[in-house]
Amino acid sequence: MIKVAIYGKGGIGKSTVTANLAAAFAVKGYKVVQIGCDPKADSTINLLGGNPLIPVMNFMRDNDDEPTIDEMVKTGFGGVECIETGGPTPGIGCAGRGIISTFNLIDDLDVFGRFHPDVVLYDVLGDVVCGGFAAPIREGFAEDILIVTSGEKMALYAANNIKTAVDNFADRGYAKVKGVVLNHRNVENETEKVQAFADEAGIPIVGEIPRSQEIIDWEDQGKTVIEGNPESDIAKRFFALADYLIKENS
């Protein structure tokens, strides 16, 4: 099973990368589960035709019982099974606890045993890597980590923090950083800046996504570019990233 956690600064494009990567795997015939680990709960929306999924934490706040598998998992484009952890009421509680509670529920309900995924993708808020936000990289969940960054200063700062945090977990059997995905924002000398970070961190750039109006246009329709135009040049970037991960895990 391919199990990848995708981290990066908030707003850097993790959900776009994750959803398109999930769709690319699905088109290739793989059974995929995507888990959004962000209180915004918008990771899977473009796999679901623009319709937001009720997050696990919202369900648990509004109901006396825990959700069933059918209530917490919805099937999106290409058969991708979608889960959103959600978070606490804004200003109250710890968002990381929503991730932990959802992961416990996934275990209790044997979600993976029901769906038998070939690929599990975790889309994680990456400004901090502590508590619940570290849960996806603990042993038994994700095995590989992708860091999404642009050449912007704060994106690279967050990327470095993520790499440092993961290095601090190295002796605990946690997931390892597989590489960097450069999600272009067209800042000056962007490729050189990200390459310098990757070289310093000792990790490769494994994917490069040009800034694309096409991605935005398809997302406005509630779709990934893989669904909207799988033959496009931008879609081929996500297929190439999927191929890389398949090869690395073969």
mmCIF file of all heavy atoms in Angstrom, residues 5 7 96 99-100 103 124-125 128-139 141-142 145 165 169 172 174-175:
data_model
loop_
_atom_site.group_PDB
_atom_site.id
_atom_site.type_symbol
_atom_site.label_atom_id
_atom_site.label_comp_id
_atom_site.label_asym_id
_atom_site.label_seq_id
_atom_site.Cartn_x
_atom_site.Cartn_y
_atom_site.Cartn_z
ATOM 1 N N ALA A 5 1.705 11.251 3.328
ATOM 2 C CA ALA A 5 1.198 12.460 3.985
ATOM 3 C C ALA A 5 1.758 13.667 3.253
ATOM 4 O O ALA A 5 2.964 13.742 2.983
ATOM 5 C CB ALA A 5 1.616 12.482 5.451
ATOM 6 N N TYR A 7 2.319 17.607 3.318
ATOM 7 C CA TYR A 7 2.409 18.738 4.236
ATOM 8 C C TYR A 7 2.828 19.995 3.489
ATOM 9 O O TYR A 7 3.381 19.944 2.394
ATOM 10 C CB TYR A 7 3.453 18.462 5.325
ATOM 11 C CG TYR A 7 2.997 17.570 6.453
ATOM 12 C CD1 TYR A 7 3.017 16.190 6.325
ATOM 13 C CD2 TYR A 7 2.567 18.105 7.658
ATOM 14 C CE1 TYR A 7 2.620 15.364 7.366
ATOM 15 C CE2 TYR A 7 2.167 17.292 8.712
ATOM 16 C CZ TYR A 7 2.197 15.923 8.556
ATOM 17 O OH TYR A 7 1.798 15.111 9.589
ATOM 18 N N GLY A 96 -5.860 19.623 16.409
ATOM 19 C CA GLY A 96 -5.167 18.344 16.314
ATOM 20 C C GLY A 96 -5.951 17.193 16.900
ATOM 21 O O GLY A 96 -5.833 16.051 16.452
ATOM 22 N N ILE A 99 -8.064 15.343 14.396
ATOM 23 C CA ILE A 99 -7.343 14.349 13.605
ATOM 24 C C ILE A 99 -7.198 13.061 14.399
ATOM 25 O O ILE A 99 -7.467 11.966 13.888
ATOM 26 C CB ILE A 99 -5.962 14.894 13.195
ATOM 27 C CG1 ILE A 99 -6.127 16.143 12.329
ATOM 28 C CG2 ILE A 99 -5.165 13.823 12.451
ATOM 29 C CD1 ILE A 99 -4.825 16.842 12.018
ATOM 30 N N ILE A 100 -6.796 13.177 15.652
ATOM 31 C CA ILE A 100 -6.610 11.987 16.494
ATOM 32 C C ILE A 100 -7.924 11.230 16.646
ATOM 33 O O ILE A 100 -7.964 9.999 16.514
ATOM 34 C CB ILE A 100 -6.041 12.386 17.865
ATOM 35 C CG1 ILE A 100 -4.617 12.935 17.702
ATOM 36 C CG2 ILE A 100 -6.045 11.195 18.815
ATOM 37 C CD1 ILE A 100 -4.051 13.554 18.960
ATOM 38 N N PHE A 103 -8.753 9.436 13.390
ATOM 39 C CA PHE A 103 -7.895 8.285 13.161
ATOM 40 C C PHE A 103 -8.288 7.122 14.068
ATOM 41 O O PHE A 103 -8.249 5.958 13.654
ATOM 42 C CB PHE A 103 -6.438 8.665 13.376
ATOM 43 C CG PHE A 103 -5.818 9.375 12.195
ATOM 44 C CD1 PHE A 103 -6.583 10.162 11.348
ATOM 45 C CD2 PHE A 103 -4.473 9.264 11.935
ATOM 46 C CE1 PHE A 103 -6.033 10.816 10.270
ATOM 47 C CE2 PHE A 103 -3.895 9.912 10.858
ATOM 48 C CZ PHE A 103 -4.678 10.693 10.025
ATOM 49 N N VAL A 124 -2.473 17.384 5.051
ATOM 50 C CA VAL A 124 -2.297 17.846 6.424
ATOM 51 C C VAL A 124 -1.873 19.312 6.480
ATOM 52 O O VAL A 124 -0.922 19.716 5.792
ATOM 53 C CB VAL A 124 -1.231 17.009 7.165
ATOM 54 C CG1 VAL A 124 -1.304 17.269 8.665
ATOM 55 C CG2 VAL A 124 -1.386 15.522 6.867
ATOM 56 N N LEU A 125 -2.551 20.079 7.325
ATOM 57 C CA LEU A 125 -2.099 21.436 7.616
ATOM 58 C C LEU A 125 -0.674 21.366 8.144
ATOM 59 O O LEU A 125 -0.394 20.643 9.098
ATOM 60 C CB LEU A 125 -3.009 22.080 8.661
ATOM 61 C CG LEU A 125 -2.646 23.502 9.115
ATOM 62 C CD1 LEU A 125 -2.801 24.475 7.956
ATOM 63 C CD2 LEU A 125 -3.514 23.923 10.289
ATOM 64 N N VAL A 128 2.342 23.640 11.520
ATOM 65 C CA VAL A 128 2.857 23.019 12.740
ATOM 66 C C VAL A 128 2.846 21.511 12.529
ATOM 67 O O VAL A 128 1.999 20.977 11.826
ATOM 68 C CB VAL A 128 2.008 23.375 13.979
ATOM 69 C CG1 VAL A 128 2.152 24.844 14.325
ATOM 70 C CG2 VAL A 128 0.547 23.016 13.770
ATOM 71 N N VAL A 129 3.827 20.829 13.127
ATOM 72 C CA VAL A 129 3.873 19.370 13.048
ATOM 73 C C VAL A 129 4.017 18.863 14.482
ATOM 74 O O VAL A 129 5.082 18.487 14.946
ATOM 75 C CB VAL A 129 5.036 18.867 12.174
ATOM 76 C CG1 VAL A 129 4.945 17.358 11.999
ATOM 77 C CG2 VAL A 129 5.007 19.544 10.811
ATOM 78 N N CYS A 130 2.915 18.916 15.212
ATOM 79 C CA CYS A 130 2.921 18.497 16.609
ATOM 80 C C CYS A 130 1.556 17.883 16.921
ATOM 81 O O CYS A 130 0.591 18.068 16.192
ATOM 82 C CB CYS A 130 3.189 19.673 17.541
ATOM 83 S SG CYS A 130 1.923 20.958 17.473
ATOM 84 N N GLY A 131 1.471 17.170 18.024
ATOM 85 C CA GLY A 131 0.197 16.624 18.465
ATOM 86 C C GLY A 131 -0.525 15.892 17.364
ATOM 87 O O GLY A 131 0.018 15.031 16.685
ATOM 88 N N GLY A 132 -1.791 16.249 17.159
ATOM 89 C CA GLY A 132 -2.609 15.578 16.162
ATOM 90 C C GLY A 132 -2.097 15.758 14.749
ATOM 91 O O GLY A 132 -2.279 14.893 13.900
ATOM 92 N N PHE A 133 -1.439 16.885 14.479
ATOM 93 C CA PHE A 133 -0.947 17.117 13.127
ATOM 94 C C PHE A 133 0.218 16.193 12.773
ATOM 95 O O PHE A 133 0.553 16.031 11.612
ATOM 96 C CB PHE A 133 -0.543 18.580 12.952
ATOM 97 C CG PHE A 133 -1.707 19.515 13.067
ATOM 98 C CD1 PHE A 133 -1.917 20.249 14.223
ATOM 99 C CD2 PHE A 133 -2.624 19.642 12.037
ATOM 100 C CE1 PHE A 133 -3.005 21.092 14.340
ATOM 101 C CE2 PHE A 133 -3.711 20.483 12.140
ATOM 102 C CZ PHE A 133 -3.912 21.210 13.301
ATOM 103 N N ALA A 134 0.831 15.591 13.779
ATOM 104 C CA ALA A 134 1.879 14.598 13.528
ATOM 105 C C ALA A 134 1.312 13.199 13.380
ATOM 106 O O ALA A 134 2.026 12.288 12.953
ATOM 107 C CB ALA A 134 2.906 14.621 14.661
ATOM 108 N N ALA A 135 0.038 13.017 13.707
ATOM 109 C CA ALA A 135 -0.551 11.673 13.690
ATOM 110 C C ALA A 135 -0.394 10.954 12.355
ATOM 111 O O ALA A 135 -0.088 9.759 12.333
ATOM 112 C CB ALA A 135 -2.032 11.743 14.090
ATOM 113 N N PRO A 136 -0.576 11.644 11.208
ATOM 114 C CA PRO A 136 -0.467 10.907 9.940
ATOM 115 C C PRO A 136 0.908 10.316 9.676
ATOM 116 O O PRO A 136 1.025 9.402 8.856
ATOM 117 C CB PRO A 136 -0.807 11.975 8.890
ATOM 118 C CG PRO A 136 -1.639 12.968 9.618
ATOM 119 C CD PRO A 136 -1.062 13.010 11.002
ATOM 120 N N ILE A 137 1.954 10.836 10.316
ATOM 121 C CA ILE A 137 3.292 10.327 10.014
ATOM 122 C C ILE A 137 3.779 9.328 11.056
ATOM 123 O O ILE A 137 4.909 8.864 10.983
ATOM 124 C CB ILE A 137 4.317 11.470 9.862
ATOM 125 C CG1 ILE A 137 4.525 12.240 11.156
ATOM 126 C CG2 ILE A 137 3.886 12.399 8.741
ATOM 127 C CD1 ILE A 137 5.624 13.285 11.055
ATOM 128 N N ARG A 138 2.932 9.005 12.009
ATOM 129 C CA ARG A 138 3.314 7.988 12.973
ATOM 130 C C ARG A 138 3.274 6.615 12.342
ATOM 131 O O ARG A 138 2.573 6.374 11.367
ATOM 132 C CB ARG A 138 2.387 8.043 14.187
ATOM 133 C CG ARG A 138 2.543 9.314 15.004
ATOM 134 C CD ARG A 138 1.536 9.388 16.122
ATOM 135 N NE ARG A 138 1.682 10.644 16.823
ATOM 136 C CZ ARG A 138 0.729 11.225 17.538
ATOM 137 N NH1 ARG A 138 -0.452 10.651 17.627
ATOM 138 N NH2 ARG A 138 0.948 12.370 18.139
ATOM 139 N N GLU A 139 4.031 5.707 12.905
ATOM 140 C CA GLU A 139 4.121 4.356 12.361
ATOM 141 C C GLU A 139 2.725 3.738 12.259
ATOM 142 O O GLU A 139 1.933 3.789 13.195
ATOM 143 C CB GLU A 139 5.004 3.496 13.259
ATOM 144 C CG GLU A 139 5.320 2.138 12.667
ATOM 145 C CD GLU A 139 6.338 1.373 13.489
ATOM 146 O OE1 GLU A 139 6.697 1.864 14.574
ATOM 147 O OE2 GLU A 139 6.756 0.304 13.044
ATOM 148 N N PHE A 141 0.493 4.651 9.885
ATOM 149 C CA PHE A 141 -0.327 5.502 9.021
ATOM 150 C C PHE A 141 0.480 5.790 7.753
ATOM 151 O O PHE A 141 0.680 4.913 6.949
ATOM 152 C CB PHE A 141 -0.766 6.764 9.767
ATOM 153 C CG PHE A 141 -1.758 6.475 10.861
ATOM 154 C CD1 PHE A 141 -1.363 6.442 12.190
ATOM 155 C CD2 PHE A 141 -3.083 6.201 10.571
ATOM 156 C CE1 PHE A 141 -2.261 6.155 13.200
ATOM 157 C CE2 PHE A 141 -4.000 5.907 11.565
ATOM 158 C CZ PHE A 141 -3.583 5.889 12.893
ATOM 159 N N ALA A 142 0.942 7.004 7.556
ATOM 160 C CA ALA A 142 1.734 7.300 6.355
ATOM 161 C C ALA A 142 3.149 6.740 6.486
ATOM 162 O O ALA A 142 3.672 6.596 7.594
ATOM 163 C CB ALA A 142 1.795 8.803 6.121
ATOM 164 N N ILE A 145 6.408 11.182 3.089
ATOM 165 C CA ILE A 145 5.946 12.561 3.224
ATOM 166 C C ILE A 145 6.366 13.349 1.986
ATOM 167 O O ILE A 145 7.509 13.244 1.539
ATOM 168 C CB ILE A 145 6.545 13.237 4.471
ATOM 169 C CG1 ILE A 145 6.092 12.518 5.740
ATOM 170 C CG2 ILE A 145 6.155 14.718 4.533
ATOM 171 C CD1 ILE A 145 6.884 12.916 6.969
ATOM 172 N N ALA A 165 11.070 18.962 11.899
ATOM 173 C CA ALA A 165 10.219 18.181 12.802
ATOM 174 C C ALA A 165 10.292 16.695 12.479
ATOM 175 O O ALA A 165 10.389 15.851 13.370
ATOM 176 C CB ALA A 165 8.779 18.674 12.722
ATOM 177 N N PHE A 169 11.772 13.115 14.568
ATOM 178 C CA PHE A 169 11.044 11.867 14.806
ATOM 179 C C PHE A 169 11.772 10.651 14.227
ATOM 180 O O PHE A 169 11.257 9.535 14.265
ATOM 181 C CB PHE A 169 9.650 11.926 14.152
ATOM 182 C CG PHE A 169 8.735 12.976 14.725
ATOM 183 C CD1 PHE A 169 7.823 13.631 13.899
ATOM 184 C CD2 PHE A 169 8.766 13.302 16.062
ATOM 185 C CE1 PHE A 169 6.959 14.593 14.408
ATOM 186 C CE2 PHE A 169 7.911 14.277 16.580
ATOM 187 C CZ PHE A 169 7.017 14.913 15.760
ATOM 188 N N ARG A 172 11.943 7.168 15.819
ATOM 189 C CA ARG A 172 10.695 6.595 16.331
ATOM 190 C C ARG A 172 9.966 5.749 15.290
ATOM 191 O O ARG A 172 8.834 5.328 15.505
ATOM 192 C CB ARG A 172 9.759 7.712 16.809
ATOM 193 C CG ARG A 172 10.401 8.641 17.829
ATOM 194 C CD ARG A 172 9.381 9.630 18.356
ATOM 195 N NE ARG A 172 10.019 10.734 19.055
ATOM 196 C CZ ARG A 172 9.359 11.734 19.619
ATOM 197 N NH1 ARG A 172 8.020 11.773 19.534
ATOM 198 N NH2 ARG A 172 9.993 12.712 20.233
ATOM 199 N N TYR A 174 8.883 6.794 12.381
ATOM 200 C CA TYR A 174 7.864 7.571 11.692
ATOM 201 C C TYR A 174 8.150 7.622 10.195
ATOM 202 O O TYR A 174 9.172 7.131 9.714
ATOM 203 C CB TYR A 174 7.807 9.000 12.243
ATOM 204 C CG TYR A 174 7.156 9.136 13.607
ATOM 205 C CD1 TYR A 174 6.904 8.038 14.420
ATOM 206 C CD2 TYR A 174 6.806 10.392 14.089
ATOM 207 C CE1 TYR A 174 6.323 8.182 15.663
ATOM 208 C CE2 TYR A 174 6.218 10.548 15.339
ATOM 209 C CZ TYR A 174 5.984 9.435 16.124
ATOM 210 O OH TYR A 174 5.407 9.590 17.352
ATOM 211 N N ALA A 175 7.249 8.248 9.462
ATOM 212 C CA ALA A 175 7.414 8.395 8.019
ATOM 213 C C ALA A 175 8.633 9.266 7.698
ATOM 214 O O ALA A 175 9.092 10.056 8.527
ATOM 215 C CB ALA A 175 6.162 9.012 7.416
#
